[in-house]
Structures are given as C-alpha cells and as structure tokens.
Amino acid sequence: MLRTEEFTLNMGPQHPATHGVLRLILHLDGETIVKVEPVVGYLHRGIEKLAEARTYTQVIPYTDRLDYLAAMLNNLGYVQAVEKLMGIEIPERAEYIRIIVSEMSRIASHCIAVGTYALDLGGFTGFMYPFREREKLMDMFEMISGSRMTHSYMRIGGVAADLPEEFYPAIKKFLKEFPSCVDEYDGLITGNEIFQARTKGVGVLSQEKAVQYSISGPTLRGSGVNYDLRKARPYGIYDRFDFEVPVGEKGDCFDRYYCRIQEMRQSHRIIEQALEQLEELPGGPVMAKVPKVLKPPKGEVYHEIEGAKGILGYYVVSDGTTKPYRVHIRRPSFINLDLLDEMCRGWKIADVVAILGSIDIVLGEVDC
Amino acid sequence: MESNKVAEQLQEYFQSIGNNRKVLTVSPDELIPLMYRLRDEYEFNYLTDETAVDYGDYFEVIYNLSRVPQGDILMVKTKVDKEKAEVPSVFEVWPGAIWFEREIFDLLGIKFTNHPDLRRILLDDSFEGHPLRKDFQWVGGREV
Amino acid sequence: MVCLEERSIGMEIKKDLQTKHPVEDLTDDPVIIEQVKRTITLAPLEKILNLARSNSLWPMTFGLACCAIEMMAAGGPRFDLARFGYEVFRPSPRQADVMIIAGTITKKMAPFVKRLYEQMPEPKWVVAMGSCAISGGPFVDSYSVVPGADKLLPVDVYIPGCPPRPDALIHGMLLLKEKVKNPKVVEEKPWKAIK
C-alpha cells in the first residue's frame, strides 16, 4: 500500500515569526499540520521565586518584565491584589490616572499585536504605521514615569507621581489623531485582500472549546464569548465609563485580529471619558497613606484584571512579614498558547504563523 | 463569593467539604466529583486559575472557578501531604487544566494522577528539583 | 592593493597613508602623477574591507526578551536604524554579522545562543544589549538565568539600560562601527573609540 510518512519540523526558538523564543515542533504530513507541540520555557526567569525574596514594593519592577508590551496593566494587577489584601482605599485621582495609563498601555500592546501580525503575514508597511502611534504613547509614558517600556509607575496605595503638566496637551493631541490612525490601519491591513485571504476562516476556535480551555482576552472574545472583566466584574472604577465589548462571530484569525482593532477604539473612548472626569477633579494626593514598610496581614488574595492579552490574575499569599510568602501569576498568554495545537491541525505550514500571530503571545509572560 | 451557600448545600454529598474564609475546601479523594457538580449544577464552566503553595509539610492546590459570561468567581482548595503529593487531575472536567497542572508539576513537584501529558514545561528536562518548593537550594548568579 | 576614487568612502583611509605613490615609479610626467594622485588612493585590503564591513553590519533577528521590542522600535519608523545601514535584520545566523543579545539568557536557552553564534560566519561581533545580557540584571540571583552574555560568548559592545532606549542601541552600533573599522586602536586604547 502506498502511504506517506509523517515528518517533524523544528521551528524556533530563534525564528522571526514566533514573537520571541518560542519553539514549535511541527508534525507534518506533506504540508499539512498533523500536530503542533509548543515547547516553552526558554525565557523562564523564575519571577515567582524571586518575588519571595523581595519586599512587596520590590516586586513591582518584576511585573513590568512579564508582559513588557503592556507593563502598566501588569503593575495594576499586582498593586490591586496587594491593596485588596491590605484593605487599602486609594485616592480617586490615582484611580483615574491608573485607568488612563493602563488603557494607554492596552493601546500600545494592541499596536504591536496588529503591527507584528501584518509583518508575520508579509506586510512590512503594516508594521510601520502602528509603531508610529506606539512611539507617541512611549513618549507620554516617558513623561509620566521616566521610562519607555518598564515603567514601575504604580505603587501600592496609588501611583508614583501626579501626571506632569505637559502630559495633558500631548494626550489630547493623541486622542484627536488616533481615530483616524485606526482608520488607516483598517485601510492598510484590515481591508487588504491578501490579509483577508490569509486570515478569514483560518484557525477557527469554537465558543465551547474556548471556554473549556480557559482561553481569555481578545482570543476568547473573537470566538463570540462576551467576557471582559472590565464589564463582568468591574475592578477599580471601570463601572463609571461607557464602552462596549467588541465580540467576534466566527472565531477565526480575522475575528481575533479585528477584536483588537475595535478594542483600541473602545480604549480611546475610555481615556477620553477618564480624562474629562479627571480634569473636573480638584487636585489632591495620588498616594493613600500607607506605611513605608508594608506588612500585609496573614492571608491570601486572588485578584484578576483584564490584561491586554487576556485575564491576568495575581495570587498573593502573605505570612505577615515584609515579603510575600508566595506570588503566583496567572498569565493569559501561557494559557492561550495551550490550544495552538487544536487550532493548527489540518492547516498548512504557512497558516501556523497566521494562527500564532492571531493569539498574540508575549514570551516574557508565557515563561514568566 | 458564594462559598457559604455552596458548602451548605453540598454538605450531605461530600464529607470533607468545608468553608474557610470564603474558600471551599475539600479532600483530594472527593475533588473530582465535587468539580463535576460545580461545573454542571452551579455552572462554573471556566477554570480561571490553578496553582499550588508549599506550606512546609503540606501542599495546597488552589482552583479558581468562574462563570462565563456572568463573571462570578469561587475558590476551591485541597490539601495534600508532602510525602505523597498526588492530586487527581481536573483535566477531564476542564481540559484547560493541562498546562496549569504541568506548570505545577514542574515548579512544585505535585503529581497529577490521570494527567495525559505530565512532563516538565518551563524548565529543562535535565533540571533537578522543583524550584518553588521552600526547601529548594540553588546557586544564584551573584555568588558565582 | 586596491584603488579608490576621491570623495568616495575611502577618503578616510587616505589621511593616514604616507608612503610613496606607486605611479611615480611608472612615469615622470607631473600632470599624470598629479591626476592619478588626485583620483586614486591606495590602502591595505584589510582596511578597506573593514570599512565596508563597518558600514553595513547585518544584525541577526534574534530577540530574547523586553530589549527585543526596543530593537524593533530602533528598526521602526522613528529611530530608523536604516540611516546607518544596519537595518538588514537577517533571520538566519549564516547571513548575519552581528548578534545583538537583546534580553535575558536562561540556562535552557544558553546552548541555543551558543550554537547560533557558532553558526555565524567570521568575522562576527556580539552586542550585549540591556542589563540582563550584561550581568543578568534584576534576575541575576535566579535559579535559571545565566548572569551575563560574556559567560558564553566574547562580547564587543555593552549597552546599559533596562531596556536601553533605541538611541542607545544606535550609539552602541556606532561604537561597534568604530571598533570594526579600527580594530587596533580599540585593542590598544579603548577610550579612543569613544568620542
């Protein structure tokens, strides 16, 4: 009997389309994928163990380096978890600042997701435009925190400093320009025929599978599940803003990508509202009164926020000393990557890149 | 969130069930039937997080369950001895547990029975020990 | 011996060339000598090759962690590494000249980093970008991190920062350019490379 033999192809850990040091072992039948085996851990730095030897405040810089594309959101999850553990109420002004910077971080992260997705599918120009907007955001982050990527701006009890004067004109200018920039991405990437041919109907993820496999973020919403923690279980002051949760229909690569594009528009809406309400607030402190040496009471807390890639959870156990007994981080990219095998089966080699790009992983977060 | 109510209602079915600081506790033997019940009757259809903590002489495995899309959350815990660190895998209830459990096995060395693919995930196969255990010793970069 | 035209990139070489021009051996005609001297200059082959190498270093597309994003930003529209001729990021180590180690090297990744370096053709250079690649950075006391790229490979340029700004990367690449162009100076008097 005539039959073909399966063969294995190694992809990574050094590969331009794996977004870092991910390694995939592809089992192929001709060009068709039979099985994909993701091998992770090439960037495992042991942050969870290091956190046990640091004080509560010293853990904040490590959270930056998890998902370095949306560092503010990682800060937010951690500080809110510790605040929940200690029962700290933070000043309203700090709440607004947190919302503004974390939504800016979400836009910056989605800019990279969209730009590199275009690059993965062979469109170099599509990479340039979102990066242009990201640079503007980076400039503003630099004004706020002094650093472009790893901000460590949030503190347990508030934020490090009030927004500087020159930030307001900069963000207003950005907010004015940004909708037309998203239109530009729509024209350049979304509307592109080749892009649509490569993504529409590819790597379909059903609603049931997505929920069963604990998928979260735009990857889950692309499959049509309306689950955004900002709406489902609002944390901080997200219940004060009016925004929608974009949801896909079919659960293919295009839907996941398009969810991100629409989320950028919604984040823009949130920043606009938050900025308006912030400017009406009288000036005041941005830090709650917290002791210099933090000693949370004995206990544990699990807190989740909606990160840029999905649900970002922090589980912090305190034994009453100045250092956390255990910090566990539920990283969305790590869990979303689990289903790559299922999504890729039956597709061709070239589609692996399209499907992987649509999940939008960050290896710093996957490997922790 | 509603662990009091769940614990009360399920008292007659599960002997080991308890409610400690808003957390549902259960022994490992009764874990799987309880999880099926929570999924099917209480509609906790989403496993948000699974992790474990080393408390010296015993481990605690922590499950965080959610209702999608309503957004309720429930924490379930189970305790195992350090000597015989074995917990039944919940992958048949929520298939998403596969990677969570591989990570726990890798970093804490808890074995999950019936797990389809229990290998190290983050560390190299040649790595010795489980780093998140409290008695793990290593040589860090500064000392060398 | 290789000849170069005036106003070409080889102008830099001309300055330190003081030997007798070989055209003077061939003819006595002052017009010809002057013409040839004006348009043609001579330099050792090694020097010219180094000049060419230093102006078009091809980095490898090799991102490890956070610093890789700043490396991408350096190649992006605002910082535009292409102005210096270093934008040709090659995914294959066999086509690359420079390895920019952008991120934390873990013990699991270390053998791959080494193998990639070995696959690069000579001459090759290594840039350690960011504190993780320099010394392990904030993760130095971790159980799975290699404390610095120089534990594995010979590093030519260190760029501090966590992560370094794209401008810092460009500065680092320009320092590497000085080093490639003028290996002796850097070997003997490293401070001379920093202007």
Side-chain angles (χ1 to χ4, degrees):
Chain A
M1 205 179 92
L2 204 68
R3 68 183 185 90
T4 54
E5 203 158 86
E6 253 180 49
F7 75 101
T8 49
L9 183 72
N10 182 53
M11 182 175 165
Q14 188 262 332
H15 190 278
T18 53
H19 294 222
V21 285
L22 173 67
R23 179 175 164 209
L24 300 173
I25 299 169
L26 309 175
H27 297 262
L28 301 165
D29 176 17
E31 272 206 30
T32 314
I33 306 287
V34 180
K35 194 175 165 222
V36 179
E37 217 180 302
V39 182
V40 300
Y42 290 101
L43 193 55
H44 177 66
R45 297 158 293 188
I47 290 177
E48 289 180 4
K49 187 75 182 174
L50 288 173
E52 290 173 12
R54 305 285 188 273
T55 64
Y56 282 91
T57 317
Q58 283 173 342
V59 178
I60 297 172
Y62 288 94
T63 63
D64 279 331
R65 284 152 185 84
L66 277 172
D67 178 359
Y68 33 79
L69 302 180
M72 288 288 191
L73 283 160
N74 285 257
N75 284 179
L76 181 70
Y78 174 71
V79 295
Q80 281 193 339
V82 180
E83 279 158 10
K84 210 168 158 185
L85 185 65
M86 296 179 72
I88 300 173
E89 285 274 320
I90 72 159
E92 204 164 353
R93 197 174 172 77
E95 289 274 22
Y96 278 107
I97 295 174
R98 279 184 180 183
I99 298 283
I100 292 170
V101 293
S102 47
E103 289 305 318
M104 279 163 66
S105 222
R106 195 185 307 276
I107 293 179
S109 168
H110 285 347
C111 275
I112 294 235
V114 169
T116 51
Y117 196 34
L119 188 64
D120 284 347
L121 297 179
F124 193 77
T125 323
F127 155 81
M128 288 288 181
Y129 285 77
F131 259 73
R132 182 189 60 190
E133 267 66 62
R134 184 176 174 273
E135 284 299 332
K136 291 176 192 162
L137 286 167
M138 293 293 112
D139 275 356
M140 281 185 260
F141 283 137
E142 211 177 348
M143 282 177 203
I144 299 169
S145 67
S147 166
R148 279 164 53 88
M149 271 174 68
T150 45
H151 321 293
S152 307
Y153 176 58
M154 297 198 191
R155 295 286 185 278
I156 294 156
V159 292
D162 207 338
L163 295 173
E165 276 304 308
E166 64 266 31
F167 172 76
Y168 294 96
I171 185 84
K172 276 176 191 155
K173 185 161 173 276
F174 176 79
L175 288 175
K176 210 172 150 199
E177 291 167 356
F178 190 64
S180 66
C181 297
V182 183
D183 291 341
E184 212 169 13
Y185 310 155
D186 264 342
L188 197 69
I189 308 169
T190 318
N192 187 307
E193 245 176 75
I194 302 169
F195 181 81
Q196 295 204 354
R198 290 283 311 267
T199 54
K200 277 200 169 164
V202 175
V204 178
L205 175 61
S206 72
Q207 205 164 329
E208 297 77 44
K209 267 265 157 65
V211 173
Q212 273 175 8
Y213 276 84
S214 308
I215 305 296
S216 55
T219 316
L220 177 70
R221 292 192 285 275
S223 295
V225 184
N226 187 343
Y227 187 56
D228 188 322
L229 284 177
R230 291 174 293 174
K231 279 270 189 219
R233 205 184 324 131
Y235 51 91
I237 51 164
Y238 269 109
D239 44 355
R240 296 186 197 172
F241 306 111
D242 175 35
F243 66 98
E244 283 151 29
V245 179
V247 173
E249 283 168 11
K250 282 183 267 160
D252 55 4
C253 290
F254 183 80
D255 278 359
R256 289 192 278 276
Y257 155 82
Y258 202 59
C259 267
R260 287 193 187 95
I261 291 274
Q262 286 172 307
E263 258 180 39
M264 288 202 264
R265 293 186 201 274
Q266 297 303 328
S267 291
H268 172 261
R269 269 177 77 186
I270 296 173
I271 299 174
E272 255 179 355
Q273 293 169 40
L275 199 68
E276 217 169 86
Q277 294 175 24
L278 176 69
E279 281 183 317
E280 283 166 15
L281 280 181
V286 288
M287 272 293 278
K289 285 210 166 54
V290 287
K292 276 260 177 332
V293 180
L294 291 172
K295 269 192 189 174
K298 231 175 168 180
E300 64 197 352
V301 71
Y302 180 67
H303 181 69
E304 284 181 341
I305 66 160
E306 185 70 36
K309 320 277 185 297
I311 295 172
L312 179 70
Y314 283 88
Y315 179 66
V316 183
V317 182
S318 160
D319 58 351
T321 59
T322 53
K323 291 170 184 173
Y325 186 77
R326 169 98 164 88
V327 177
H328 167 76
I329 306 149
R330 186 241 193 248
R331 294 101 59 198
S333 302
F334 178 69
I335 303 307
N336 289 356
L337 195 58
D338 188 3
L339 211 55
L340 184 69
D341 178 28
E342 292 263 346
M343 282 150 86
C344 287
R345 274 183 199 184
W347 293 96
K348 305 282 184 220
I349 302 182
D351 296 320
V352 173
V353 173
I355 294 167
L356 183 67
S358 76
I359 310 177
D360 183 25
I361 52 161
V362 171
L363 265 294
E365 197 176 61
V366 171
D367 296 342
C368 185
Chain B
M1 211 168 264
E2 44 179 315
S3 58
N4 291 324
K5 212 173 79 193
V6 178
E8 237 170 65
Q9 286 172 358
L10 293 178
Q11 209 112 55
E12 48 181 313
Y13 300 105
F14 302 103
Q15 286 177 354
S16 63
I17 205 161
N19 179 30
N20 179 21
R21 286 180 303 195
K22 293 182 182 172
V23 178
L24 212 62
T25 54
V26 71
S27 80
D29 315 329
E30 290 183 323
L31 182 73
I32 297 298
L34 174 73
M35 288 304 195
Y36 268 119
R37 216 164 243 276
L38 285 175
R39 188 191 72 179
D40 298 333
E41 277 176 34
Y42 293 87
E43 293 174 345
F44 283 101
N45 53 352
Y46 189 86
L47 177 73
T48 16
D49 188 29
E50 182 178 347
T51 183
V53 183
D54 178 9
Y55 283 108
D57 45 355
Y58 66 93
F59 289 118
E60 245 179 28
V61 185
I62 298 113
Y63 303 84
N64 281 292
L65 319 176
S66 279
R67 280 194 187 119
V68 170
Q70 295 87 334
D72 306 318
I73 192 161
L74 176 74
M75 195 188 270
V76 182
K77 271 187 182 179
T78 183
K79 228 187 230 185
V80 286
D81 265 354
K82 199 163 195 176
E83 302 297 305
K84 195 176 164 285
E86 273 189 12
V87 185
S89 167
V90 295
F91 108 91
E92 44 188 277
V93 193
W94 297 282
I98 294 180
W99 275 33
F100 282 123
E101 288 177 350
R102 274 182 74 183
E103 192 195 359
I104 297 170
F105 168 74
D106 188 359
L107 301 179
L108 278 138
I110 299 175
K111 282 202 180 68
F112 289 90
T113 47
N114 292 335
H115 191 283
D117 184 26
L118 201 63
R119 288 177 291 136
R120 281 194 184 270
I121 183 164
L122 292 175
L123 291 162
D124 206 43
D125 288 333
S126 59
F127 194 88
E128 273 175 35
H130 302 282
L132 282 182
R133 287 190 177 196
K134 288 285 173 185
D135 53 6
F136 176 74
Q137 299 285 329
W138 80 98
V139 186
R142 273 200 191 108
E143 286 85 40
V144 178
Chain C
M1 300 296 238
V2 170
C3 302
L4 282 174
E5 261 181 67
E6 195 182 4
R7 287 213 204 125
S8 72
I9 211 153
M11 282 292 280
E12 293 175 52
I13 287 170
K14 205 173 171 185
K15 282 179 279 175
D16 45 49
L17 206 83
Q18 280 154 8
T19 46
K20 192 181 152 201
H21 206 288
V23 75
E24 289 170 43
D25 298 338
L26 301 174
T27 174
D28 294 331
D29 190 344
V31 182
I32 294 175
I33 289 175
E34 203 213 335
Q35 278 289 334
V36 170
K37 268 189 167 174
R38 204 166 60 81
T39 53
I40 296 172
T41 184
L42 300 165
L45 179 62
E46 189 63 15
K47 217 159 196 182
I48 290 165
L49 287 180
N50 278 342
L51 195 68
R53 280 172 190 144
S54 72
N55 280 296
S56 72
L57 294 166
W58 286 12
M60 183 158 65
T61 320
F62 181 47
L64 283 165
C66 335
C67 295
I69 306 297
E70 289 298 63
M71 192 166 79
M72 273 160 73
R78 179 169 164 204
F79 295 95
D80 199 12
L81 198 57
R83 286 177 296 164
F84 306 96
Y86 306 146
E87 85 285 12
V88 199
F89 281 94
R90 306 312 295 184
S92 167
R94 287 168 223 283
Q95 300 165 352
D97 303 314
V98 190
M99 186 183 207
I100 302 176
I101 299 179
T104 326
I105 303 177
T106 61
K107 284 180 184 160
K108 194 172 176 180
M109 190 64 197
F112 294 90
V113 175
K114 216 163 173 189
R115 190 194 283 185
L116 286 167
Y117 178 74
E118 280 158 5
Q119 283 176 345
M120 280 164 63
E122 292 276 2
K124 53 193 170 185
W125 297 273
V126 177
V127 175
M129 181 185 181
S131 42
C132 289
I134 294 173
S135 67
F139 308 106
V140 62
D141 48 350
S142 168
Y143 52 84
S144 63
V145 170
V146 177
D150 46 11
K151 298 272 185 297
L152 299 171
L153 319 166
V155 177
D156 294 278
V157 176
Y158 296 89
I159 308 171
C162 191
R165 294 175 52 90
D167 341 9
L169 176 65
I170 292 171
H171 183 227
M173 291 301 282
L174 292 178
L175 284 182
L176 181 65
K177 176 185 174 178
E178 291 300 317
K179 180 168 183 177
V180 173
K181 214 159 65 181
N182 231 339
K184 277 256 166 56
V185 170
V186 179
E187 268 162 32
E188 287 156 15
K189 295 168 189 161
W191 60 89
K192 282 216 165 166
I194 303 159
K195 282 170 186 163

